[in-house]
């Protein structure tokens, strides 16, 4: 089904008409009528961390149908299981550039990205730079482009946790205020921007994570990951934990792991490398019973397969809260607030923090029923984004 008609008139600075593609050029003496001048928009997409590869997959595919994309990987995530595997399972083209920035403190990591991105953008002179979500790669992409007067498009604009202690909140707010085109996943996001005085260039397009989840669910189920890991459908809790506030200090991380140990369920926990490092540092693995299964991060299809068949999800991830909602899996959120407020308002997400007793209670007793009424779009957000970017020609 075609997505509803959308308004493609965007007014942004520096939009340029590109010359016709060489392939379509006609020899001077040709008797054929000259082809129409084809204007192709050149979009530089900046990705760098796991959730950004997933979000970029459907958008990149749509952009490349009619326009030109230069894909820039900052190198923020670099382990095979945190990076390359997503390009493979989601069929994302290999990046044109890998800046290999790697891990570092916020200033050094973002600063190095900025330096290297500026060089690439000066060389490529794209018509627009597209950034995703709220990581340091997002902020660096937006800032490098805005300083060069290249219009910035922000996918997942307008999200707010209203907790400035989260690095992501600073990245989101700054990126939104640097952006010319703001692609919002939800009405809440549009309202958040309005409250900050951002109304121009705002488009409610739906959630690209919904696009990719819908498109991947069947293939994910065919993988048989649940059986492969010796689990029973609806016989385990799927957990992910990686927020600095939850893992960088011993107390909250120990409290969460204690809850997993005491909840009375098998807990399958693909461990983010940040968290793995801290579990080792604090010596917490030795205390875990066999019911808590720490595994390496899994690829997107296996993760979706595990999520769809899970009894419940316990997470501090932004993306995973939404995926649980998409597939009707009750979510216990190990934070004090969430930017995905729709999932809470609809009764499918219990935001409980990290206290052992509260987490155990929620894993045992949180059993939402009923329909899911909130909208994350119709699975065609990426098409709308590509069409809007195409309108820059
Ligand atoms: C980053 C994002 C966060 C996002 C998360 C997705 C920022 C500020 N944070 O957090 O918003 O939710 O990605 O997963 O941008 N490491 C490895 N191998 C890797 C990547 C990381 O070992 O491939 C380890 C390193 O020790 C590194 C640590 O993980 O220091 C943290 O990585 P980093 O990218 O700085 O932040 P994340 O916690 O991954
Ligand atoms: N994910 C994955 N493998 C894992 C854990 C998560 O593929 O082992 C996917 C998950 O499906 C979701 C995304 O990673 O789409 C969420 O990324 P993450 O939790 O790292 O970041 P956040 O969403 O919190 O920014």
């Amino acid at each position: 089904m075609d997505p509803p008609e959308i308004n493609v008139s965007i007014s942004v600075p520096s939009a340029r008409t590109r010359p016709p593609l060489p392939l379509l050029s006609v020899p001077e003496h040709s008797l054929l009528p000259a082809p129409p001048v084809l204007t192709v928009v050149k979009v530089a997409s900046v990705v760098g961390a796991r959730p950004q590869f997933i979000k970029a997959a459907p958008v990149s595919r749509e952009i490349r149908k009619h326009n030109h994309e230069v894909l820039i990987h900052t190198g923020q995530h670099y382990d095979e299981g945190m990076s390359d595997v997503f390009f493979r399972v989601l069929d994302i083209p290999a990046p044109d550039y890998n800046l290999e920035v790697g891990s570092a403190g916020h200033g050094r990591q973002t600063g190095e990205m900025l330096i290297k991105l500026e060089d690439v953008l000066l060389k490529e002179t794209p018509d627009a730079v597209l950034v995703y979500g709220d990581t340091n790669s997002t902020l660096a992409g937006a800032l490098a482009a805005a300083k060069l007067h290249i219009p910035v498009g922000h996918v997942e604009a307008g999200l707010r946790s209203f907790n400035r202690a989260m690095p992501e909140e600073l990245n989101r707010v700054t990126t939104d205020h640097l952006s010319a085109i703001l692609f919002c996943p939800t009405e809440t996001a549009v309202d958040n921007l309005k409250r900050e005085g951002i109304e121009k260039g705002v488009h409610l397009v739906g959630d690209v994570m919904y696009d990719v989840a819908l498109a991947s669910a069947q293939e994910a189920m065919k993988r048989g990951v649940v059986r492969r890991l010796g689990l029973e459908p609806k016989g385990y809790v799927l957990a992910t934990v990686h927020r600095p506030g939850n893992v960088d200090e011993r107390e909250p991380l120990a409290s969460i792991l204690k809850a997993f140990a005491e909840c009375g369920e098998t807990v399958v926990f693909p461990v983010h490398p940040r968290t793995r490092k801290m579990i080792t540092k604090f010596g917490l693995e030795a205390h875990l019973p066999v019911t808590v299964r720490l595994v390496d991060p899994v690829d997107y299809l296996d993760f979706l397969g595990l999520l769809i068949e899970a009894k419940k999800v316990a997470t501090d991830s932004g993306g995973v809260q939404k995926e649980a909602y998409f597939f009707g899996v009750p979510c216990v959120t190990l934070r004090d607030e969430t930017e995905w407020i729709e999932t809470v308002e609809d009764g499918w997400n219990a935001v409980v923090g990290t206290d052992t007793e509260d987490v155990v209670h929620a894993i045992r007793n949180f059993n939402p029923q009923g329909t899911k009424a909130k909208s994350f779009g119709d699975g065609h957000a990426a098409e709308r984004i590509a069409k809007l970017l195409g309108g820059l020609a």
Side-chain angles (χ1 to χ4, degrees), residues 39-249:
T39 52
V40 172
V41 173
K42 185 175 183 178
V43 179
S45 304
V46 180
V47 294
R50 171 166 70 185
Q52 294 170 326
F53 311 136
I54 296 164
K55 289 166 198 174
V59 182
S60 173
R61 193 165 304 128
E62 288 301 324
I63 289 174
R64 286 169 192 241
K65 283 185 182 167
H66 303 291
N67 291 295
H68 180 52
E69 184 186 42
V70 177
L71 189 56
I72 308 170
H73 186 330
T74 63
Q76 177 169 353
H77 285 176
Y78 45 85
D79 288 351
E80 156 74 23
M82 293 294 289
S83 174
D84 289 8
V85 79
F86 293 94
F87 287 79
R88 269 202 310 280
V89 301
L90 290 168
D91 212 12
I92 307 168
D96 298 283
Y97 296 87
N98 189 324
L99 309 181
E100 295 183 345
V101 162
S103 304
H106 288 277
R108 184 174 298 276
Q109 188 181 54
T110 313
E112 267 204 40
M113 287 176 192
L114 208 47
I115 294 166
K116 292 183 170 177
L117 279 167
E118 187 171 76
D119 286 346
V120 174
L121 296 180
L122 284 170
K123 181 166 161 231
E124 293 287 346
T125 62
D127 297 303
V129 167
L130 194 60
V131 297
Y132 292 87
D134 52 21
T135 73
N136 287 347
S137 298
T138 317
L139 175 63
L143 191 52
K147 292 257 179 168
L148 294 172
H149 305 151
I150 304 169
V152 177
H154 185 200
V155 178
E156 233 177 55
L159 272 291
R160 296 291 182 268
S161 67
F162 304 102
N163 174 3
R164 293 263 173 137
M166 287 178 77
E168 292 81 4
E169 185 75 354
L170 304 175
N171 292 343
R172 286 178 200 125
V173 172
T174 314
T175 300
D176 283 338
H177 285 262
L178 291 169
S179 294
I181 320 173
L182 299 102
F183 301 112
C184 294
T186 60
E187 288 196 16
T188 309
V190 175
D191 292 343
N192 287 339
L193 291 176
K194 204 174 192 174
R195 267 199 301 276
E196 291 174 25
I198 305 176
E199 295 193 62
K200 198 162 160 246
V202 175
H203 300 269
L204 177 60
V205 293
D207 194 322
V208 295
M209 286 191 73
Y210 188 48
D211 292 15
V212 66
L214 277 185
S216 309
Q218 262 194 339
E219 207 184 335
M221 292 301 284
K222 280 196 211 141
R223 287 282 198 89
V225 60
V226 172
R227 214 170 318 115
R228 207 187 322 136
L229 293 182
L231 300 161
E232 288 295 321
K234 302 293 165 191
Y236 60 93
V237 172
L238 177 64
T240 79
V241 186
H242 73 280
R243 297 257 90 88
N246 282 352
V247 307
D248 285 1
E249 300 291 332

